[in-house]
Amino acid sequence: FRFADPGINRGKPPAVHELLDQGRAEIDKELATQPKLRRELNLALAEIYEHLAEHDSARVLAQNSLALAGDDPALRAERLALLATIDANSGRNAQALANAEQGLQALAASGDAHSLDQRLGLLNTKAMSLKFLDRADEAAATMREVLGLLPQLGAKQEEHRAYTLDN
């Protein structure tokens, strides 16, 4: 990220995309011996690119982070959830569905009792993907599953209910 230094950048402030692209290019080269840090930076950059609607860049970075997650089911679930969202947002509904289902399997394998938000997100992505794949009955069943889980959220359930019903 030295690219942001005015002394290196000839006094011209870089655009956000320039900073991100430069940082992205440096990750594998500069952090070759630090896979955990590369994994987390790939994830962070994937999320940023996704917020910028740069789905292709986000997808590559999320896949890199997933590859570095190894066999850890909690890490895999988190990265598969992001990949499912990226795919859904870019109209790759079959791939979004596959990633959401793999994410749900990884989440179940992790035994993480604090993962209800992530489970709900994966189920919502699954339901939306099913809907766009013209599998309405399966989508409806998945949405009912989401709505059945919401009471476990307590005070946060109304926010999730609105999101689910908006889908």
Side-chain angles (χ1 to χ4, degrees):
F1 292 97
R2 289 185 189 101
F3 184 71
D5 183 342
I8 293 173
N9 203 23
R10 298 183 183 142
K12 176 184 163 196
V16 171
H17 280 87
E18 289 175 307
L19 283 174
L20 290 172
D21 292 344
Q22 186 72 24
R24 178 182 174 189
E26 296 292 320
I27 287 175
D28 289 331
K29 183 171 48 172
E30 296 291 328
L31 302 173
T33 62
Q34 299 179 55
K36 289 179 183 178
L37 185 54
R38 279 195 347 257
R39 179 188 69 215
E40 296 308 314
L41 286 173
N42 273 296
L43 180 66
L45 285 174
E47 290 171 339
I48 293 168
Y49 275 105
E50 180 59 15
H51 290 298
L52 294 170
E54 298 280 344
H55 306 301
D56 291 337
S57 294
R59 188 168 211 291
V60 168
L61 288 159
Q63 288 173 322
N64 291 346
S65 185
L66 176 62
L68 292 166
D71 293 331
D72 185 313
L75 292 176
R76 292 186 62 75
E78 180 182 23
R79 280 131 183 93
L80 286 162
L82 178 58
L83 273 169
T85 298
I86 292 166
D87 287 333
N89 289 343
S90 59
R92 295 180 179 120
N93 294 303
Q95 191 61 45
L97 176 59
N99 284 323
E101 288 177 335
Q102 287 178 36
L104 287 164
Q105 290 171 357
L107 198 57
S110 76
D112 185 356
H114 304 291
S115 61
L116 184 58
D117 280 335
Q118 193 172 44
R119 183 173 176 205
L120 289 168
L122 283 161
L123 286 168
N124 267 314
T125 301
K126 178 181 177 180
M128 291 305 300
S129 298
L130 287 165
K131 177 182 125 181
F132 288 120
L133 292 169
D134 293 324
R135 294 166 60 181
D137 290 343
E138 293 171 84
T142 303
M143 290 304 247
R144 282 192 293 277
E145 183 178 353
V146 170
L147 293 171
L149 291 169
L150 291 179
Q152 295 178 38
L153 290 175
K156 290 176 34 178
Q157 71 178 300
E158 291 307 315
E159 175 186 335
H160 279 276
R161 185 182 319 279
Y163 177 77
T164 299
L165 294 174
D166 185 48
N167 287 332

Short mmCIF file of all heavy atoms in Angstrom, two decimals, residues 97-165:
data_model
loop_
_atom_site.label_atom_id
_atom_site.label_comp_id
_atom_site.label_asym_id
_atom_site.label_seq_id
_atom_site.Cartn_x
_atom_site.Cartn_y
_atom_site.Cartn_z
N LEU A 97 -26.42 -21.28 -5.11
CA LEU A 97 -27.10 -22.36 -4.40
C LEU A 97 -26.09 -23.41 -3.94
O LEU A 97 -26.13 -23.84 -2.77
CB LEU A 97 -28.16 -22.99 -5.31
CG LEU A 97 -28.90 -24.20 -4.74
CD1 LEU A 97 -29.62 -23.85 -3.45
CD2 LEU A 97 -29.87 -24.75 -5.79
N ALA A 98 -25.19 -23.81 -4.82
CA ALA A 98 -24.18 -24.82 -4.45
C ALA A 98 -23.31 -24.32 -3.30
O ALA A 98 -23.05 -25.07 -2.35
CB ALA A 98 -23.32 -25.17 -5.67
N ASN A 99 -22.88 -23.08 -3.36
CA ASN A 99 -22.04 -22.54 -2.29
C ASN A 99 -22.81 -22.39 -0.98
O ASN A 99 -22.27 -22.64 0.09
CB ASN A 99 -21.42 -21.20 -2.71
CG ASN A 99 -20.28 -21.38 -3.68
OD1 ASN A 99 -19.51 -22.32 -3.58
ND2 ASN A 99 -20.17 -20.47 -4.63
N ALA A 100 -24.08 -21.98 -1.07
CA ALA A 100 -24.90 -21.86 0.14
C ALA A 100 -25.08 -23.24 0.79
O ALA A 100 -24.95 -23.37 2.02
CB ALA A 100 -26.24 -21.23 -0.19
N GLU A 101 -25.35 -24.25 -0.01
CA GLU A 101 -25.52 -25.59 0.55
C GLU A 101 -24.22 -26.12 1.16
O GLU A 101 -24.23 -26.71 2.24
CB GLU A 101 -26.06 -26.53 -0.52
CG GLU A 101 -27.52 -26.23 -0.85
CD GLU A 101 -28.10 -27.08 -1.97
OE1 GLU A 101 -27.31 -27.57 -2.82
OE2 GLU A 101 -29.32 -27.22 -2.00
N GLN A 102 -23.09 -25.89 0.49
CA GLN A 102 -21.80 -26.30 1.05
C GLN A 102 -21.51 -25.53 2.34
O GLN A 102 -20.96 -26.08 3.29
CB GLN A 102 -20.68 -26.07 0.04
CG GLN A 102 -20.69 -27.03 -1.11
CD GLN A 102 -19.58 -26.70 -2.11
OE1 GLN A 102 -18.48 -26.29 -1.73
NE2 GLN A 102 -19.86 -26.88 -3.38
N GLY A 103 -21.85 -24.24 2.34
CA GLY A 103 -21.65 -23.43 3.54
C GLY A 103 -22.48 -23.93 4.71
O GLY A 103 -22.00 -23.98 5.84
N LEU A 104 -23.72 -24.32 4.45
CA LEU A 104 -24.57 -24.87 5.51
C LEU A 104 -24.01 -26.18 6.04
O LEU A 104 -24.02 -26.42 7.26
CB LEU A 104 -26.00 -25.07 4.99
CG LEU A 104 -26.79 -23.78 4.80
CD1 LEU A 104 -28.01 -24.02 3.93
CD2 LEU A 104 -27.18 -23.19 6.15
N GLN A 105 -23.46 -27.01 5.16
CA GLN A 105 -22.84 -28.27 5.60
C GLN A 105 -21.60 -27.99 6.45
O GLN A 105 -21.40 -28.62 7.49
CB GLN A 105 -22.46 -29.12 4.39
CG GLN A 105 -23.64 -29.69 3.65
CD GLN A 105 -23.24 -30.35 2.33
OE1 GLN A 105 -22.08 -30.33 1.93
NE2 GLN A 105 -24.22 -30.91 1.65
N ALA A 106 -20.78 -27.04 6.02
CA ALA A 106 -19.58 -26.69 6.79
C ALA A 106 -19.96 -26.10 8.14
O ALA A 106 -19.33 -26.41 9.16
CB ALA A 106 -18.72 -25.71 5.99
N LEU A 107 -20.99 -25.28 8.15
CA LEU A 107 -21.44 -24.67 9.40
C LEU A 107 -21.93 -25.74 10.37
O LEU A 107 -21.61 -25.69 11.57
CB LEU A 107 -22.55 -23.67 9.10
CG LEU A 107 -22.88 -22.64 10.15
CD1 LEU A 107 -21.66 -21.81 10.51
CD2 LEU A 107 -23.99 -21.73 9.65
N ALA A 108 -22.67 -26.70 9.86
CA ALA A 108 -23.14 -27.80 10.72
C ALA A 108 -21.96 -28.59 11.26
O ALA A 108 -21.95 -28.99 12.43
CB ALA A 108 -24.09 -28.70 9.93
N ALA A 109 -20.96 -28.81 10.43
CA ALA A 109 -19.77 -29.57 10.86
C ALA A 109 -18.95 -28.81 11.89
O ALA A 109 -18.24 -29.40 12.69
CB ALA A 109 -18.90 -29.91 9.65
N SER A 110 -19.04 -27.47 11.87
CA SER A 110 -18.23 -26.67 12.79
C SER A 110 -18.74 -26.76 14.22
O SER A 110 -17.98 -26.53 15.16
CB SER A 110 -18.19 -25.20 12.34
OG SER A 110 -19.42 -24.55 12.66
N GLY A 111 -20.03 -27.05 14.40
CA GLY A 111 -20.59 -27.10 15.74
C GLY A 111 -20.63 -25.75 16.42
O GLY A 111 -20.77 -25.67 17.64
N ASP A 112 -20.53 -24.68 15.67
CA ASP A 112 -20.51 -23.33 16.23
C ASP A 112 -21.91 -22.92 16.65
O ASP A 112 -22.78 -22.69 15.81
CB ASP A 112 -19.95 -22.35 15.19
CG ASP A 112 -19.78 -20.95 15.73
OD1 ASP A 112 -20.16 -20.68 16.89
OD2 ASP A 112 -19.25 -20.10 15.00
N ALA A 113 -22.13 -22.83 17.94
CA ALA A 113 -23.44 -22.47 18.46
C ALA A 113 -23.76 -20.98 18.26
O ALA A 113 -24.89 -20.56 18.40
CB ALA A 113 -23.52 -22.80 19.95
N HIS A 114 -22.76 -20.19 17.93
CA HIS A 114 -22.95 -18.75 17.76
C HIS A 114 -23.10 -18.35 16.29
O HIS A 114 -22.90 -17.21 15.93
CB HIS A 114 -21.76 -17.99 18.37
CG HIS A 114 -21.55 -18.31 19.81
ND1 HIS A 114 -22.42 -17.93 20.79
CD2 HIS A 114 -20.57 -19.02 20.42
CE1 HIS A 114 -21.99 -18.38 21.96
NE2 HIS A 114 -20.87 -19.04 21.76
N SER A 115 -23.47 -19.28 15.46
CA SER A 115 -23.48 -19.02 14.02
C SER A 115 -24.88 -18.86 13.44
O SER A 115 -25.05 -19.01 12.24
CB SER A 115 -22.75 -20.16 13.31
OG SER A 115 -23.43 -21.38 13.57
N LEU A 116 -25.86 -18.52 14.26
CA LEU A 116 -27.23 -18.41 13.77
C LEU A 116 -27.35 -17.34 12.69
O LEU A 116 -28.02 -17.56 11.66
CB LEU A 116 -28.21 -18.14 14.92
CG LEU A 116 -29.68 -18.09 14.54
CD1 LEU A 116 -30.12 -19.39 13.88
CD2 LEU A 116 -30.53 -17.80 15.77
N ASP A 117 -26.72 -16.20 12.87
CA ASP A 117 -26.77 -15.15 11.84
C ASP A 117 -26.22 -15.67 10.51
O ASP A 117 -26.79 -15.42 9.45
CB ASP A 117 -25.97 -13.91 12.25
CG ASP A 117 -26.71 -13.01 13.22
OD1 ASP A 117 -27.96 -13.04 13.22
OD2 ASP A 117 -26.05 -12.27 13.96
N GLN A 118 -25.11 -16.38 10.57
CA GLN A 118 -24.51 -16.91 9.35
C GLN A 118 -25.42 -17.97 8.72
O GLN A 118 -25.60 -18.00 7.51
CB GLN A 118 -23.14 -17.51 9.67
CG GLN A 118 -22.32 -17.79 8.44
CD GLN A 118 -20.91 -18.18 8.81
OE1 GLN A 118 -20.70 -18.96 9.73
NE2 GLN A 118 -19.95 -17.63 8.09
N ARG A 119 -26.01 -18.80 9.55
CA ARG A 119 -26.95 -19.82 9.03
C ARG A 119 -28.14 -19.15 8.35
O ARG A 119 -28.55 -19.56 7.26
CB ARG A 119 -27.41 -20.72 10.17
CG ARG A 119 -28.32 -21.83 9.70
CD ARG A 119 -28.63 -22.80 10.80
NE ARG A 119 -29.58 -23.80 10.34
CZ ARG A 119 -30.38 -24.46 11.14
NH1 ARG A 119 -30.32 -24.29 12.45
NH2 ARG A 119 -31.22 -25.34 10.65
N LEU A 120 -28.68 -18.12 8.97
CA LEU A 120 -29.81 -17.41 8.38
C LEU A 120 -29.42 -16.77 7.05
O LEU A 120 -30.19 -16.81 6.08
CB LEU A 120 -30.34 -16.35 9.35
CG LEU A 120 -31.07 -16.91 10.56
CD1 LEU A 120 -31.30 -15.81 11.59
CD2 LEU A 120 -32.38 -17.57 10.17
N GLY A 121 -28.21 -16.20 6.98
CA GLY A 121 -27.75 -15.60 5.74
C GLY A 121 -27.61 -16.64 4.64
O GLY A 121 -28.03 -16.42 3.49
N LEU A 122 -27.05 -17.79 4.97
CA LEU A 122 -26.90 -18.86 3.99
C LEU A 122 -28.26 -19.38 3.53
O LEU A 122 -28.48 -19.64 2.35
CB LEU A 122 -26.06 -20.01 4.58
CG LEU A 122 -24.56 -19.76 4.62
CD1 LEU A 122 -23.88 -20.69 5.61
CD2 LEU A 122 -23.96 -19.92 3.23
N LEU A 123 -29.18 -19.53 4.48
CA LEU A 123 -30.52 -20.00 4.11
C LEU A 123 -31.25 -18.98 3.23
O LEU A 123 -31.95 -19.36 2.28
CB LEU A 123 -31.34 -20.32 5.37
CG LEU A 123 -30.95 -21.60 6.10
CD1 LEU A 123 -31.62 -21.67 7.47
CD2 LEU A 123 -31.30 -22.83 5.26
N ASN A 124 -31.09 -17.70 3.54
CA ASN A 124 -31.70 -16.67 2.71
C ASN A 124 -31.14 -16.70 1.29
O ASN A 124 -31.88 -16.61 0.31
CB ASN A 124 -31.50 -15.28 3.32
CG ASN A 124 -32.63 -14.86 4.20
OD1 ASN A 124 -33.79 -15.00 3.83
ND2 ASN A 124 -32.31 -14.34 5.37
N THR A 125 -29.82 -16.84 1.18
CA THR A 125 -29.20 -16.93 -0.14
C THR A 125 -29.68 -18.18 -0.87
O THR A 125 -29.98 -18.13 -2.08
CB THR A 125 -27.67 -16.92 -0.02
OG1 THR A 125 -27.27 -15.72 0.64
CG2 THR A 125 -27.00 -16.98 -1.39
N LYS A 126 -29.78 -19.27 -0.16
CA LYS A 126 -30.29 -20.51 -0.75
C LYS A 126 -31.70 -20.30 -1.27
O LYS A 126 -32.03 -20.69 -2.41
CB LYS A 126 -30.25 -21.64 0.28
CG LYS A 126 -30.81 -22.95 -0.23
CD LYS A 126 -30.78 -24.03 0.85
CE LYS A 126 -31.42 -25.32 0.34
NZ LYS A 126 -31.39 -26.37 1.37
N ALA A 127 -32.57 -19.71 -0.47
CA ALA A 127 -33.95 -19.48 -0.86
C ALA A 127 -34.06 -18.59 -2.10
O ALA A 127 -34.82 -18.87 -3.03
CB ALA A 127 -34.75 -18.88 0.30
N MET A 128 -33.28 -17.52 -2.12
CA MET A 128 -33.31 -16.61 -3.26
C MET A 128 -32.80 -17.31 -4.53
O MET A 128 -33.36 -17.13 -5.61
CB MET A 128 -32.49 -15.35 -2.98
CG MET A 128 -33.09 -14.45 -1.93
SD MET A 128 -34.79 -13.98 -2.30
CE MET A 128 -34.59 -13.16 -3.86
N SER A 129 -31.77 -18.09 -4.38
CA SER A 129 -31.23 -18.82 -5.53
C SER A 129 -32.26 -19.80 -6.07
O SER A 129 -32.46 -19.91 -7.29
CB SER A 129 -29.94 -19.54 -5.15
OG SER A 129 -28.97 -18.61 -4.74
N LEU A 130 -32.91 -20.52 -5.17
CA LEU A 130 -33.95 -21.45 -5.58
C LEU A 130 -35.08 -20.72 -6.31
O LEU A 130 -35.59 -21.19 -7.33
CB LEU A 130 -34.51 -22.20 -4.37
CG LEU A 130 -33.58 -23.26 -3.77
CD1 LEU A 130 -34.04 -23.66 -2.37
CD2 LEU A 130 -33.48 -24.47 -4.68
N LYS A 131 -35.45 -19.57 -5.79
CA LYS A 131 -36.52 -18.77 -6.42
C LYS A 131 -36.13 -18.41 -7.85
O LYS A 131 -36.93 -18.58 -8.78
CB LYS A 131 -36.78 -17.51 -5.59
CG LYS A 131 -37.81 -16.58 -6.18
CD LYS A 131 -37.96 -15.34 -5.30
CE LYS A 131 -37.75 -14.13 -6.15
NZ LYS A 131 -37.85 -12.89 -5.42
N PHE A 132 -34.91 -17.91 -8.03
CA PHE A 132 -34.48 -17.49 -9.37
C PHE A 132 -34.21 -18.67 -10.31
O PHE A 132 -34.12 -18.49 -11.52
CB PHE A 132 -33.26 -16.57 -9.28
CG PHE A 132 -33.60 -15.21 -8.76
CD1 PHE A 132 -33.01 -14.74 -7.59
CD2 PHE A 132 -34.53 -14.41 -9.40
CE1 PHE A 132 -33.34 -13.48 -7.09
CE2 PHE A 132 -34.86 -13.15 -8.92
CZ PHE A 132 -34.27 -12.69 -7.76
N LEU A 133 -34.09 -19.86 -9.73
CA LEU A 133 -33.94 -21.07 -10.54
C LEU A 133 -35.31 -21.73 -10.79
O LEU A 133 -35.37 -22.87 -11.24
CB LEU A 133 -32.99 -22.06 -9.86
CG LEU A 133 -31.53 -21.62 -9.79
CD1 LEU A 133 -30.73 -22.53 -8.85
CD2 LEU A 133 -30.90 -21.59 -11.18
N ASP A 134 -36.37 -20.99 -10.49
CA ASP A 134 -37.75 -21.46 -10.69
C ASP A 134 -38.06 -22.73 -9.89
O ASP A 134 -38.79 -23.61 -10.36
CB ASP A 134 -38.06 -21.67 -12.17
CG ASP A 134 -38.07 -20.36 -12.94
OD1 ASP A 134 -38.51 -19.33 -12.36
OD2 ASP A 134 -37.63 -20.35 -14.10
N ARG A 135 -37.52 -22.79 -8.69
CA ARG A 135 -37.80 -23.90 -7.78
C ARG A 135 -38.55 -23.35 -6.58
O ARG A 135 -38.08 -23.36 -5.45
CB ARG A 135 -36.49 -24.59 -7.41
CG ARG A 135 -35.84 -25.26 -8.63
CD ARG A 135 -34.40 -25.65 -8.43
NE ARG A 135 -34.18 -26.61 -7.35
CZ ARG A 135 -32.96 -27.06 -7.02
NH1 ARG A 135 -31.89 -26.67 -7.71
NH2 ARG A 135 -32.81 -27.90 -6.03
N ALA A 136 -39.76 -22.85 -6.87
CA ALA A 136 -40.54 -22.09 -5.90
C ALA A 136 -40.89 -22.89 -4.64
O ALA A 136 -40.85 -22.33 -3.53
CB ALA A 136 -41.81 -21.55 -6.55
N ASP A 137 -41.25 -24.15 -4.79
CA ASP A 137 -41.64 -24.94 -3.62
C ASP A 137 -40.45 -25.10 -2.65
O ASP A 137 -40.61 -24.96 -1.43
CB ASP A 137 -42.16 -26.32 -4.04
CG ASP A 137 -43.51 -26.24 -4.73
OD1 ASP A 137 -44.20 -25.20 -4.60
OD2 ASP A 137 -43.88 -27.23 -5.39
N GLU A 138 -39.28 -25.35 -3.19
CA GLU A 138 -38.08 -25.48 -2.35
C GLU A 138 -37.71 -24.14 -1.73
O GLU A 138 -37.29 -24.08 -0.57
CB GLU A 138 -36.90 -26.01 -3.17
CG GLU A 138 -37.08 -27.43 -3.65
CD GLU A 138 -35.99 -27.82 -4.63
OE1 GLU A 138 -34.90 -28.23 -4.17
OE2 GLU A 138 -36.23 -27.69 -5.86
N ALA A 139 -37.87 -23.07 -2.49
CA ALA A 139 -37.59 -21.73 -1.97
C ALA A 139 -38.52 -21.42 -0.81
O ALA A 139 -38.08 -20.91 0.24
CB ALA A 139 -37.73 -20.68 -3.07
N ALA A 140 -39.80 -21.72 -0.97
CA ALA A 140 -40.78 -21.46 0.09
C ALA A 140 -40.46 -22.27 1.35
O ALA A 140 -40.54 -21.75 2.47
CB ALA A 140 -42.19 -21.76 -0.41
N ALA A 141 -40.09 -23.52 1.17
CA ALA A 141 -39.74 -24.36 2.33
C ALA A 141 -38.52 -23.80 3.05
O ALA A 141 -38.47 -23.79 4.29
CB ALA A 141 -39.48 -25.80 1.86
N THR A 142 -37.55 -23.31 2.30
CA THR A 142 -36.35 -22.74 2.91
C THR A 142 -36.69 -21.45 3.65
O THR A 142 -36.19 -21.21 4.76
CB THR A 142 -35.27 -22.50 1.84
OG1 THR A 142 -34.99 -23.74 1.18
CG2 THR A 142 -33.98 -21.97 2.46
N MET A 143 -37.58 -20.64 3.07
CA MET A 143 -38.00 -19.40 3.76
C MET A 143 -38.76 -19.73 5.05
O MET A 143 -38.59 -19.04 6.05
CB MET A 143 -38.87 -18.55 2.84
CG MET A 143 -38.09 -17.94 1.70
SD MET A 143 -36.71 -16.95 2.25
CE MET A 143 -37.26 -15.37 1.76
N ARG A 144 -39.57 -20.77 5.02
CA ARG A 144 -40.26 -21.18 6.26
C ARG A 144 -39.25 -21.60 7.32
O ARG A 144 -39.42 -21.31 8.51
CB ARG A 144 -41.26 -22.30 5.97
CG ARG A 144 -42.55 -21.81 5.32
CD ARG A 144 -43.64 -22.89 5.30
NE ARG A 144 -43.31 -24.01 4.43
CZ ARG A 144 -43.50 -24.03 3.12
NH1 ARG A 144 -44.04 -23.00 2.52
NH2 ARG A 144 -43.17 -25.10 2.42
N GLU A 145 -38.19 -22.28 6.88
CA GLU A 145 -37.13 -22.66 7.83
C GLU A 145 -36.50 -21.42 8.46
O GLU A 145 -36.27 -21.37 9.67
CB GLU A 145 -36.07 -23.50 7.12
CG GLU A 145 -34.99 -24.02 8.04
CD GLU A 145 -33.96 -24.89 7.33
OE1 GLU A 145 -34.12 -25.23 6.14
OE2 GLU A 145 -32.95 -25.23 8.00
N VAL A 146 -36.22 -20.42 7.63
CA VAL A 146 -35.66 -19.16 8.14
C VAL A 146 -36.61 -18.53 9.15
O VAL A 146 -36.20 -18.16 10.26
CB VAL A 146 -35.37 -18.16 6.98
CG1 VAL A 146 -35.03 -16.79 7.53
CG2 VAL A 146 -34.26 -18.68 6.10
N LEU A 147 -37.87 -18.40 8.78
CA LEU A 147 -38.84 -17.77 9.67
C LEU A 147 -39.00 -18.55 10.98
O LEU A 147 -39.21 -17.95 12.04
CB LEU A 147 -40.18 -17.61 8.95
CG LEU A 147 -40.17 -16.62 7.78
CD1 LEU A 147 -41.48 -16.69 7.00
CD2 LEU A 147 -39.89 -15.21 8.27
N GLY A 148 -38.85 -19.87 10.91
CA GLY A 148 -38.93 -20.69 12.12
C GLY A 148 -37.74 -20.49 13.06
O GLY A 148 -37.86 -20.70 14.27
N LEU A 149 -36.61 -20.09 12.50
CA LEU A 149 -35.41 -19.87 13.32
C LEU A 149 -35.36 -18.48 13.96
O LEU A 149 -34.63 -18.26 14.93
CB LEU A 149 -34.15 -20.06 12.47
CG LEU A 149 -33.85 -21.48 12.01
CD1 LEU A 149 -32.75 -21.49 10.96
CD2 LEU A 149 -33.48 -22.36 13.18
N LEU A 150 -36.11 -17.54 13.41
CA LEU A 150 -36.01 -16.15 13.85
C LEU A 150 -36.27 -15.92 15.34
O LEU A 150 -35.59 -15.09 15.95
CB LEU A 150 -36.92 -15.25 13.00
CG LEU A 150 -36.48 -15.08 11.55
CD1 LEU A 150 -37.47 -14.18 10.81
CD2 LEU A 150 -35.08 -14.52 11.46
N PRO A 151 -37.22 -16.61 15.98
CA PRO A 151 -37.43 -16.36 17.40
C PRO A 151 -36.18 -16.58 18.26
O PRO A 151 -36.05 -15.97 19.33
CB PRO A 151 -38.54 -17.35 17.78
CG PRO A 151 -39.31 -17.53 16.51
CD PRO A 151 -38.24 -17.50 15.43
N GLN A 152 -35.24 -17.37 17.78
CA GLN A 152 -34.00 -17.60 18.52
C GLN A 152 -33.13 -16.34 18.59
O GLN A 152 -32.22 -16.26 19.40
CB GLN A 152 -33.19 -18.73 17.89
CG GLN A 152 -33.87 -20.07 17.95
CD GLN A 152 -33.05 -21.15 17.27
OE1 GLN A 152 -31.82 -21.16 17.35
NE2 GLN A 152 -33.71 -22.07 16.60
N LEU A 153 -33.42 -15.36 17.74
CA LEU A 153 -32.63 -14.13 17.70
C LEU A 153 -33.05 -13.11 18.75
O LEU A 153 -32.36 -12.11 18.95
CB LEU A 153 -32.71 -13.48 16.32
CG LEU A 153 -32.00 -14.19 15.19
CD1 LEU A 153 -32.29 -13.49 13.88
CD2 LEU A 153 -30.51 -14.24 15.44
N GLY A 154 -34.19 -13.33 19.37
CA GLY A 154 -34.66 -12.36 20.36
C GLY A 154 -34.98 -11.02 19.73
O GLY A 154 -35.71 -10.94 18.74
N ALA A 155 -34.37 -9.97 20.25
CA ALA A 155 -34.66 -8.60 19.81
C ALA A 155 -34.28 -8.35 18.36
O ALA A 155 -34.84 -7.47 17.71
CB ALA A 155 -33.95 -7.60 20.72
N LYS A 156 -33.34 -9.10 17.84
CA LYS A 156 -32.87 -8.88 16.46
C LYS A 156 -33.77 -9.54 15.42
O LYS A 156 -33.55 -9.37 14.22
CB LYS A 156 -31.45 -9.42 16.30
CG LYS A 156 -30.41 -8.61 17.03
CD LYS A 156 -29.01 -9.20 16.95
CE LYS A 156 -28.65 -9.90 15.70
NZ LYS A 156 -27.29 -10.40 15.63
N GLN A 157 -34.79 -10.28 15.86
CA GLN A 157 -35.56 -11.06 14.89
C GLN A 157 -36.36 -10.20 13.92
O GLN A 157 -36.55 -10.60 12.77
CB GLN A 157 -36.47 -12.06 15.59
CG GLN A 157 -37.65 -11.48 16.34
CD GLN A 157 -38.49 -12.56 16.96
OE1 GLN A 157 -39.01 -13.42 16.25
NE2 GLN A 157 -38.62 -12.53 18.27
N GLU A 158 -36.81 -9.03 14.30
CA GLU A 158 -37.62 -8.21 13.41
C GLU A 158 -36.80 -7.72 12.20
O GLU A 158 -37.30 -7.68 11.09
CB GLU A 158 -38.25 -7.04 14.15
CG GLU A 158 -39.33 -7.46 15.13
CD GLU A 158 -40.41 -8.34 14.51
OE1 GLU A 158 -40.90 -8.03 13.40
OE2 GLU A 158 -40.75 -9.37 15.12
N GLU A 159 -35.55 -7.36 12.45
CA GLU A 159 -34.68 -6.95 11.34
C GLU A 159 -34.50 -8.09 10.34
O GLU A 159 -34.61 -7.89 9.13
CB GLU A 159 -33.32 -6.52 11.91
CG GLU A 159 -32.29 -6.18 10.86
CD GLU A 159 -30.93 -5.91 11.49
OE1 GLU A 159 -30.84 -5.52 12.66
OE2 GLU A 159 -29.93 -6.10 10.76
N HIS A 160 -34.26 -9.28 10.85
CA HIS A 160 -34.08 -10.44 9.97
C HIS A 160 -35.39 -10.82 9.28
O HIS A 160 -35.39 -11.23 8.13
CB HIS A 160 -33.53 -11.63 10.75
CG HIS A 160 -32.05 -11.57 10.94
ND1 HIS A 160 -31.17 -12.02 9.99
CD2 HIS A 160 -31.30 -11.11 11.97
CE1 HIS A 160 -29.93 -11.85 10.43
NE2 HIS A 160 -29.99 -11.29 11.62
N ARG A 161 -36.51 -10.68 10.01
CA ARG A 161 -37.80 -11.00 9.42
C ARG A 161 -38.07 -10.08 8.22
O ARG A 161 -38.50 -10.51 7.16
CB ARG A 161 -38.92 -10.87 10.44
CG ARG A 161 -40.29 -11.31 9.92
CD ARG A 161 -41.41 -11.13 10.95
NE ARG A 161 -41.07 -11.49 12.31
CZ ARG A 161 -41.06 -12.72 12.82
NH1 ARG A 161 -41.37 -13.74 12.05
NH2 ARG A 161 -40.74 -12.94 14.07
N ALA A 162 -37.80 -8.79 8.40
CA ALA A 162 -38.01 -7.83 7.31
C ALA A 162 -37.13 -8.17 6.11
O ALA A 162 -37.58 -8.13 4.97
CB ALA A 162 -37.72 -6.41 7.79
N TYR A 163 -35.89 -8.51 6.37
CA TYR A 163 -34.97 -8.88 5.28
C TYR A 163 -35.48 -10.13 4.56
O TYR A 163 -35.50 -10.18 3.33
CB TYR A 163 -33.56 -9.11 5.84
CG TYR A 163 -32.57 -9.56 4.79
CD1 TYR A 163 -32.04 -8.66 3.90
CD2 TYR A 163 -32.20 -10.90 4.69
CE1 TYR A 163 -31.13 -9.07 2.91
CE2 TYR A 163 -31.33 -11.32 3.72
CZ TYR A 163 -30.78 -10.40 2.83
OH TYR A 163 -29.92 -10.82 1.87
N THR A 164 -35.89 -11.13 5.33
CA THR A 164 -36.35 -12.39 4.75
C THR A 164 -37.61 -12.17 3.91
O THR A 164 -37.71 -12.66 2.79
CB THR A 164 -36.63 -13.41 5.86
OG1 THR A 164 -35.42 -13.65 6.58
CG2 THR A 164 -37.15 -14.72 5.30
N LEU A 165 -38.55 -11.41 4.43
CA LEU A 165 -39.80 -11.18 3.71
C LEU A 165 -39.59 -10.28 2.50
O LEU A 165 -40.33 -10.37 1.53
CB LEU A 165 -40.85 -10.60 4.66
CG LEU A 165 -41.29 -11.57 5.76
CD1 LEU A 165 -42.24 -10.86 6.73
CD2 LEU A 165 -41.93 -12.82 5.19
#
